[in-house]
Amino acid sequence: MHDLSWPGSYGQENDPHCPAEPETPEPKRRRSGALMLSAEEARHVRVAIRKLRRAFGSFRALSLKTGIPASTLRRAANPKSSPTGTLAIRIASAAGVAVEVLLGGKLVVTTPVIGRAA
């Protein structure tokens, strides 16, 4: 004779899910210490972002040049933000200067003069 209670109701998706092991949340990942900037370097990056925004005309134009979303650049230009080394590298590339110049605060941005030979 067949047992009418086989298979049990637990395999028929009418019971609440009971995991075998309790789910543990993933530990938070920390930023690499190699890409962290000092307070002075972060200030220089924020100033450089604002200068380049003026030189290119908008955050959107700077965004197209760097490949970083405009909202991220706006947030990074905020005095309360802490920009990363990766952002500094991309900003230096867009400005056409070495990263050391950018982090040192010696970035000079000039707007191009139209109608004048270079």
Side-chain angles (χ1 to χ4, degrees):
M1 280 257 108
H2 293 292
D3 186 8
L4 297 178
S5 64
W6 183 86
S9 62
Y10 53 83
Q12 298 176 6
E13 298 181 9
N14 56 1
D15 288 344
H17 178 66
C18 298
E21 298 177 18
E23 293 183 24
T24 56
E26 252 185 65
K28 285 192 173 185
R29 296 172 67 182
R30 294 178 38 188
R31 288 184 181 171
S32 171
L35 296 177
M36 300 297 274
L37 300 175
S38 68
E40 197 66 22
E41 290 171 339
R43 186 176 65 81
H44 293 311
V45 171
R46 287 191 297 268
V47 168
I49 292 171
R50 289 192 292 266
K51 284 182 180 181
L52 287 173
R53 180 196 54 89
R54 275 187 244 117
F56 285 112
S58 66
F59 279 117
R60 179 168 238 169
L62 182 58
S63 169
L64 292 174
K65 184 78 173 169
T66 59
I68 300 171
S71 59
T72 303
L73 291 172
R74 277 189 204 93
R75 204 174 311 119
N78 185 356
K80 294 181 181 178
S81 73
S82 60
T84 62
T86 307
L87 179 74
I89 292 168
R90 289 177 130 182
I91 294 295
S93 174
V97 298
V99 179
E100 292 81 14
V101 172
L102 181 85
L103 295 178
K106 296 179 172 82
L107 178 67
V108 177
V109 178
T110 59
T111 55
V113 178
I114 299 173
R116 185 174 173 193

